[in-house]
């Protein structure tokens, strides 16, 4: 990567894959401020998860839609605990597998499988659009869900195509974790001490706003966003920002919605001005 981020302070909001993101940024010389947003936990009641897994083995799915890589990894954790890994993977091998973006595809490859189709848009709407082109009449479709999202529209659209939908929600968020860290990050942005905030999923936008409301610092958050360039990894994040009256300043080139292109875009945009720490010293 030709561009560098030496001396630039980048705020990232830690969720599932931000350890890798932080490493990639640090490799380019960035000073990474990591802000834990929430903790992911296994679903508190394992019985529905185990039941879904056993149904998938005993009566193999025709189709499987994976919304997140985390979801499949959490499923595999339960699969291994109850001792049915070979049976479960063999069953999934028989199904058509659909991935909402690249992350579920990576999780599939970890167990030796490949998605047959991946959404061009890593959103629920993108999944619905992809499936709308297929004949689902009479097919059993497994749908892995994720927390903090109303999936009724997607489930309804799939059922309207004639499929039998079997859903599973393998994990939950602890939405109250790290509120103090979030407030500190908001204050750092408002004081002009962050060169850019990098957002890699729409849940981060929602979490920032929810935490600001809970702690009574919504105006401080608005000030922070006004003073800080906002980097978005793709359309889902940018649409979420827009829904809250916020902008996208930095976006990957050529619709390459991945971490490395986002980092390259940040380096190119930020290089037009010196790091704020240097300017303020």
């Amino acid at each position: 990567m030709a561009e560098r981020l030496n001396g630039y302070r980048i705020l990232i909001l830690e969720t599932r894959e931000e350890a890798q993101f932080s490493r990639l940024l640090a490799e380019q010389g960035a000073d990474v401020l990591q802000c834990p947003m929430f903790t992911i936990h296994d679903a508190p009641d394992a019985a529905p998860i185990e039941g879904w897994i056993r149904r998938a083995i005993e009566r193999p799915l025709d189709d499987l839609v994976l919304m997140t890589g985390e979801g499949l990894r959490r499923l595999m954790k339960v699969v291994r605990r109850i001792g049915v890994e070979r049976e479960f993977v063999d069953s999934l091998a028989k199904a058509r597998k659909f991935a909402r973006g690249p992350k579920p595809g990576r999780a599939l490859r970890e167990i030796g499988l490949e998605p047959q189709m991946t959404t061009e848009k890593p959103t629920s709407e993108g999944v619905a659009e992809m499936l709308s082109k297929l004949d689902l009449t009479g097919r059993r479709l497994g749908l892995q869900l994720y927390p903090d999202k109303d999936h009724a529209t997607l489930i309804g659209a799939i059922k309207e195509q004639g499929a039998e939908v079997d859903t599973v929600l393998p994990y939950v968020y602890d939405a109250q974790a790290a509120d103090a860290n979030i407030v500190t990050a908001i204050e750092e942005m408002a004081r002009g001490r962050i060169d850019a905030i990098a957002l890699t999923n729409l849940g981060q936008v929602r979490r920032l706003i929810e935490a600001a409301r809970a702690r009574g610092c919504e105006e401080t958050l608005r000030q922070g966003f006004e003073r800080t360039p906002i980097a978005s990894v793709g359309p889902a994040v940018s649409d979420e920002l827009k829904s809250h009256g916020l902008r996208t300043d930095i976006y990957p080139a050529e619709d390459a919605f991945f971490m490395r292109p986002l980092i390259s875009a940040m380096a190119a945009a930020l290089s037009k001005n010196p790091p704020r720490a240097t300017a303020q010293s």
Side-chain angles (χ1 to χ4, degrees):
M1 191 181 297
E3 301 90 356
R4 303 292 296 179
L5 287 167
N6 290 323
Y8 292 97
R9 196 176 189 213
I10 309 298
L11 171 62
I12 68 171
L13 310 175
E14 293 185 49
T15 52
R16 292 182 292 275
E17 295 192 351
E18 270 51 43
Q20 178 191 4
F21 193 27
S22 177
R23 177 180 59 78
L24 293 172
L25 285 165
E27 286 176 357
Q28 297 305 311
D31 175 11
V32 183
L33 176 60
Q34 301 179 56
C35 177
M37 297 295 286
F38 46 70
T39 302
I40 298 175
H41 299 295
D42 294 332
D45 184 2
I49 319 299
E50 294 178 11
W52 188 92
I53 291 166
R54 295 191 187 282
R55 287 195 300 277
I57 293 171
E58 295 165 5
R59 191 175 161 220
L61 299 163
D62 298 304
D63 301 303
L64 173 66
V65 177
L66 294 171
M67 301 295 278
T68 64
E70 182 71 28
L72 179 58
R73 293 185 183 102
R74 294 277 168 168
L75 282 171
M76 292 306 300
K77 180 179 177 182
V78 178
V79 164
R80 291 172 182 129
R81 177 173 57 77
I82 63 177
V84 293
E85 182 173 5
R86 182 182 60 80
E87 295 91 335
F88 184 68
V89 173
D90 287 349
S91 178
L92 294 193
K94 301 171 185 175
R96 291 188 303 186
K97 290 166 285 295
F98 303 95
R100 185 186 70 115
K103 294 177 182 178
R106 286 199 288 270
L108 275 169
R109 293 182 190 99
E110 291 171 7
I111 59 173
L113 301 176
E114 289 281 346
Q116 274 66 57
M117 295 181 68
T118 300
T119 54
E120 294 183 7
K121 300 176 182 178
T123 62
S124 294
E125 292 75 17
V127 171
E129 181 180 343
M130 174 178 63
L131 295 177
S132 70
K133 302 172 184 177
L134 305 172
D135 183 5
L136 300 179
T137 304
R139 297 181 70 86
R140 289 191 64 249
L141 184 144
L143 176 60
Q144 173 260 308
L145 305 177
Y146 59 93
D148 293 355
K149 169 75 175 180
D150 183 355
H151 299 279
T153 299
L154 175 59
I155 294 170
I158 296 171
K159 287 182 176 179
E160 285 179 5
Q161 291 182 245
E164 174 192 341
V165 182
D166 193 352
T167 63
V168 62
L169 180 59
Y171 60 99
V172 297
Y173 293 148
D174 177 358
Q176 298 306 312
D179 270 12
N181 291 330
I182 295 171
V183 172
T184 297
I186 290 171
E187 292 172 347
E188 287 292 280
M189 286 198 297
R191 292 168 181 161
R193 296 176 179 174
I194 304 295
D195 291 290
I197 177 173
L199 300 168
T200 57
N201 71 68
L202 58 84
Q204 295 168 338
V205 182
R206 294 173 183 170
R207 182 75 177 99
L208 268 176
I209 292 171
E210 289 169 0
R213 286 174 180 164
R215 292 299 185 100
C217 58
E218 286 181 88
E219 182 57 32
T220 305
L221 177 60
R222 290 284 172 181
Q223 293 171 3
F225 275 133
E226 287 173 5
R227 299 195 68 180
T228 309
I230 304 172
S232 163
V233 76
V237 175
S238 292
D239 287 348
E240 185 69 21
L241 286 165
K242 186 177 180 180
S243 74
H244 295 285
L246 300 169
R247 70 199 183 281
T248 295
D249 300 304
I250 302 171
Y251 198 73
E254 300 177 356
D255 292 341
F257 306 132
F258 303 98
M259 291 180 184
R260 289 182 186 276
L262 178 62
I263 292 170
S264 184
M266 282 194 290
L270 295 178
S271 66
K272 299 172 184 176
N273 297 293
R276 290 181 172 181
T278 301
Q280 293 171 1
S281 63

